[in-house]
Amino acid sequence: MLIKYSDKYFGKSPSWLYNKLRGIDGNGKPVSLTDAELAQFKGALCDLADRIRRVADSL
């Protein structure tokens, strides 16, 4: 699922998002989401929650 949504919400690769979430880049250096990326991530999570809720309501 990261493959589809990392590009949809961030325009980045799944590995970029994975590294940001775990806090370490591919070279072992610390990384984190910027404030803007954190706001995007929050929006993405809310969107996914809404989608899940709609599916659950349709059952």
Side-chain angles (χ1 to χ4, degrees), residues 6-20:
S6 64
D7 184 50
K8 176 179 178 169
Y9 294 111
F10 293 98
K12 304 281 185 170
S13 70
S15 60
W16 175 88
L17 182 56
Y18 177 75
N19 288 337
K20 288 281 191 159

Side-chain angles (χ1 to χ4, degrees), residues 4 6-7 11 14 24 26 29 35 40 44 47 50 53 55 59:
K4 180 178 180 182
S6 64
D7 184 50
I24 301 171
K29 295 180 182 178
D35 289 341
Q40 271 185 288
D47 181 52
D50 289 341
R53 189 173 299 107
V55 170
L59 300 176

